[in-house]
């Protein structure tokens, strides 16, 4: 009879690693660090906590992201008149395209009717405008 030279320890280690990965995947799917995307007009129903605020920057933009007072600006629903949410941003310098009228996503914490931001992403407007087709 031929005797197997494989150690059962290798199988146990492989099964343990697979089990840890399975638990990690289940955890991230069910209770992972998901951050809700919210528009300013929907903040009325939002509980305090981590959010990603999606909207258009409204002025005035004051301060600086590296100062104690922070960079201060407002965000309103994209393409609509409505409530303006005040944002106080501390962190890296905002993206180069950050300006009044630019559509942004501000990551941060919602508390007391304002956002304490720690990340800003600008949206490229050319990707979100309708294109017209030419007839030949």
């Amino acid at each position: 009879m031929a005797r197997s030279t494989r150690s059962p320890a290798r199988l146990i280690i492989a099964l343990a690693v697979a089990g840890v990965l399975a638990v990690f995947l289940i955890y991230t799917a069910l209770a992972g660090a998901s951050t809700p995307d919210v528009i300013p007009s929907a903040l009325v129903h939002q509980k305090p906590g981590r959010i990603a605020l999606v909207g258009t920057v409204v002025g005035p933009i004051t301060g600086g992201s590296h100062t104690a007072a922070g960079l201060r600006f407002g965000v309103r629903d994209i393409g609509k008149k409505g409530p303006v949410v005040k944002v106080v941003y501390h962190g890296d310098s905002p993206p180069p395209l950050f300006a009044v009228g630019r559509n942004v996503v501000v990551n941060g914490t919602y508390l007391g009717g304002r956002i304490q931001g720690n990340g800003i992403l600008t949206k490229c407007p050319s990707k979100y405008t309708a294109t017209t087709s030419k007839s030949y």
Side-chain angles (χ1 to χ4, degrees):
M1 264 189 186
R3 193 161 193 188
S4 174
T5 59
R6 292 189 184 180
S7 169
R10 289 176 65 183
L11 177 62
I12 292 171
I13 291 171
L15 289 174
V17 169
V20 169
L21 289 174
V23 168
F24 175 74
L25 288 173
I26 291 170
Y27 171 76
T28 55
L30 299 177
S34 62
T35 303
D37 290 348
V38 181
I39 59 174
S41 60
L43 281 177
V44 175
H45 308 292
Q46 186 66 35
K47 294 178 183 175
R50 303 241 348 116
I51 67 165
L53 182 67
V54 180
T56 302
V57 175
V58 295
I61 298 174
T62 60
S65 61
H66 301 291
T67 64
L71 179 67
R72 296 172 178 267
F73 57 94
V75 175
R76 138 180 322 148
D77 287 0
I78 296 173
K80 298 180 181 177
K81 301 288 182 192
V84 174
V85 176
K86 294 180 187 221
V87 176
V88 178
Y89 173 74
H90 291 95
D92 294 334
S93 297
L97 297 177
F98 178 79
V100 171
R102 179 68 68 175
N103 295 338
V104 296
V105 178
V106 179
N107 294 305
T109 305
Y110 177 66
L111 184 62
R114 74 174 52 206
I115 304 295
Q116 294 291 328
N118 57 19
I120 299 175
L121 298 172
T122 57
K123 293 184 172 188
C124 180
S126 63
K127 290 184 179 181
Y128 302 99
T129 56
T131 58
T132 57
S133 61
K134 295 180 182 179
S135 298
Y136 291 101

